[in-house]
């Protein structure tokens, strides 16, 4: 190992998006070993929460994962409700599930867009797909804004339920947005699963042997 180069990758590197770093052991351009280190949020969230009430912590914690604030808020309030033995009304539980699923789709759109951008930019079709995924994400943010008045950090979950109810006509606008997103999946597939450069840069990369064996066995 004396001949290997040790390279610290992240957390400031744009491809790690501020939350992750790796120690890479390099033999020339070949990565021989990679050691991951998680948890680089560097916002002092835990320290801030030490001096806040339960209710005041929601807008702090929704910044932990800035592409999934809804689910951050929900996880925190679920923990408080369990500690306090608080029963959440059925409507609020249903709303939380709906918002979490919408946030999951929006979060995955950020992942797919930034992944392809990091993978190859314009050369690999990444810049185009990045713009397309953020186009669809805007449809979900429109829905979140309609409920909470905000497009990013919502502060909508609270102990015992939600701060905001669904506005009139929300179901029709939701169905329209989801239909639009579904109709555009074919574009995503064309720029990934059917794109020669994307396939070349991902096939056989990062294979987990045990998982590969399970897939082969069916």
């Amino acid at each position: 190992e004396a001949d290997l180069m040790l390279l610290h990758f992240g957390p400031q590197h744009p491809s790690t998006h501020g939350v992750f770093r790796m120690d890479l052991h390099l033999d020339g351009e070949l990565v021989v070993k990679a050691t991951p280190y998680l948890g680089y949020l560097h916002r002092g969230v835990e320290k801030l929460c030490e001096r806040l009430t339960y209710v005041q912590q929601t807008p702090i914690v929704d910044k932990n994962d800035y592409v999934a604030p809804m689910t951050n808020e929900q996880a925190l309030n679920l923990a408080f409700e369990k500690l306090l033995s608080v029963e959440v009304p059925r409507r609020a539980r249903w709303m939380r599930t709906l918002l979490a699923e919408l946030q999951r789709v929006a979060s995955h759109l950020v992942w797919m867009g930034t992944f392809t951008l990091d993978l190859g930019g314009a050369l690999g079709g990444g810049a185009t797909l990045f713009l397309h995924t953020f186009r669809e994400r805007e449809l979900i943010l429109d829905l979140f804004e309609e409920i909470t008045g905000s497009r990013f950090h919502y502060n909508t979950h609270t102990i015992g339920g939600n701060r905001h109810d669904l506005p009139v006509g929300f179901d029709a606008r939701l169905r329209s947005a989801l239909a639009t997103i579904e109709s555009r999946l074919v574009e995503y597939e064309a720029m990934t699963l059917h794109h020669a450069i994307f396939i070349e840069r991902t096939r056989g990369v990062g294979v987990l042997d045990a998982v590969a064996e399970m897939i082969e066995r069916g």
Side-chain angles (χ1 to χ4, degrees), residues 194-205:
H194 307 303
H195 193 293
I197 297 177
F198 180 90
I199 294 171
E200 180 67 25
R201 293 181 178 179
T202 55
R203 178 174 288 169
V205 176

Side-chain angles (χ1 to χ4, degrees), residues 5-149:
M5 174 187 290
L6 174 61
L7 176 67
H8 299 292
F9 183 85
Q12 76 291 340
H13 191 283
S15 290
T16 62
H17 303 292
V19 300
F20 170 76
R21 83 173 177 92
M22 289 185 292
D23 280 350
L24 299 176
H25 298 265
L26 306 177
D27 182 2
E29 295 186 356
L30 179 67
V31 178
V32 177
K33 179 181 177 183
T35 305
Y37 296 92
L38 300 174
Y40 281 79
L41 285 170
H42 50 73
R43 290 186 178 88
V45 170
E46 294 90 346
K47 201 65 182 174
L48 287 169
C49 289
E50 285 180 7
R51 302 180 64 84
L52 298 174
T53 65
Y54 285 170
V55 174
Q56 290 173 326
Q57 291 182 34
T58 301
I60 302 296
V61 172
D62 77 359
K63 299 174 180 64
N64 273 349
D65 178 359
Y66 52 81
V67 295
M70 281 290 190
T71 39
N72 289 332
E73 293 181 16
Q74 185 174 161
L76 179 75
N77 284 285
L78 285 171
F80 291 155
E81 287 157 3
K82 188 172 182 179
L83 286 170
L84 298 170
S85 299
V86 171
E87 184 175 352
V88 181
R90 183 173 182 270
R91 181 177 178 85
R93 296 199 305 271
W94 184 90
M95 278 187 60
R96 287 179 174 185
T97 302
L98 172 65
L99 295 175
E101 287 299 297
L102 287 173
Q103 183 71 93
R104 179 177 61 85
V105 175
S107 177
H108 285 8
L109 288 170
V110 174
W111 162 77
M112 179 177 287
T114 54
F115 172 66
T116 53
L117 192 66
D118 292 341
L119 184 68
L123 181 62
T128 303
L129 186 55
F130 175 79
L131 294 174
H132 283 219
T133 56
F134 271 65
R135 175 190 62 187
E136 272 67 84
R137 179 173 175 263
E138 286 295 302
L139 299 177
I140 297 177
L141 297 192
D142 288 343
L143 296 171
F144 286 165
E145 183 180 20
E146 191 175 352
I147 298 171
T148 69

Side-chain angles (χ1 to χ4, degrees), residues 209-218:
D209 293 337
V211 175
E213 290 174 9
M214 289 174 60
I215 292 174
E216 291 213 356
R217 290 199 302 267

